[in-house]
Amino acid sequence: MIRPEPPIFMFVTVPNPRARMPVTIKLSREFYEKLGEDLANELVDWFNKVDATYRGDLREVNELNFARFDAKLEQRLVELDAKWGSKWSALDAKLEQRLVELDARWGSRWSALDAKLEQQLAKLKAEIQTQLAQGLAGVETRLVSWLFKFWVPTAVGIVATGIGVVAILFRQ
């Protein structure tokens, strides 16, 4: 009598149904002799069906647990979002208030600085105008002096030349 290959019984050790690990059930020779090949194969098929049923039940339980976990996580995230949202709003309001205060303080300082700068510029402008007027008056005086110094000798030379020419003309 030829002994048949022992049937394979599949166990799922991880929740992923694609990651099956075959476990070979070695039935003893006595078991095959007492029950017969048909009954032993039927017993292995029954084990496989029970395994498939347990696997399906386990999948359903895991899906329910995950749905519960997901709902709790969503609830906690909403609570956390509300908590942090109120804290961020308070921080934003406080920052806005501080910026308004800072803007008011700097606004008055800038106005005072602007007025002081305008005053200093006006003073500088008046001083420059005074200095320029005095400088131009001095330059004008020196210019007139140089004019006389240049044109008087030139005019004397021209008059002398004219007198010389007239004297030459009357002698002839």
Side-chain angles (χ1 to χ4, degrees):
M1 172 185 213
I2 299 175
R3 187 166 177 235
E5 285 290 318
I8 297 176
F9 181 68
M10 303 292 279
F11 280 110
V12 176
T13 57
V14 291
N16 185 358
R18 291 184 184 142
R20 293 182 181 173
M21 242 173 100
V23 176
T24 304
I25 297 177
K26 293 186 179 182
L27 301 176
S28 66
R29 195 170 4 145
E30 275 183 48
F31 189 72
Y32 272 102
E33 287 173 4
K34 288 189 179 181
L35 293 178
E37 188 176 324
D38 291 335
L39 192 56
N41 287 336
E42 189 175 324
L43 183 63
V44 168
D45 287 341
W46 178 79
F47 279 142
N48 286 334
K49 286 178 187 175
V50 167
D51 180 52
T53 303
Y54 284 149
R55 212 177 310 134
D57 291 346
L58 182 63
R59 185 178 303 117
E60 286 178 24
V61 168
N62 282 340
E63 286 175 3
L64 287 173
N65 283 337
F66 181 75
R68 237 180 311 160
F69 170 75
D70 194 34
K72 279 185 180 180
L73 181 63
E74 184 69 28
Q75 176 189 1
R76 296 233 172 106
L77 285 176
V78 166
E79 290 171 0
L80 188 62
D81 189 38
K83 179 182 174 182
W84 279 105
S86 64
K87 288 187 179 195
W88 281 114
S89 297
L91 184 63
D92 191 38
K94 193 173 186 179
L95 180 63
E96 188 67 31
Q97 177 187 2
R98 294 276 170 91
L99 285 175
V100 166
E101 291 171 1
L102 186 64
D103 190 39
R105 264 191 278 159
W106 277 105
S108 64
R109 287 183 182 173
W110 281 114
S111 297
L113 184 62
D114 194 34
K116 192 173 184 179
L117 183 63
E118 285 294 326
Q119 181 185 13
Q120 291 293 329
L121 284 175
K123 188 191 257 186
L124 183 63
K125 185 177 178 183
E127 190 176 319
I128 288 174
Q129 285 177 346
T130 305
Q131 292 288 329
L132 190 60
Q134 289 173 356
L136 283 177
V139 167
E140 187 177 314
T141 305
R142 283 195 311 258
L143 243 160
V144 171
S145 166
W146 276 99
L147 268 171
F148 279 115
K149 289 177 183 174
F150 175 75
W151 284 110
V152 168
T154 304
V156 169
I158 290 174
V159 171
T161 304
I163 292 174
V165 169
V166 171
I168 289 176
L169 285 176
F170 282 125
R171 273 195 212 168
Q172 291 186 342

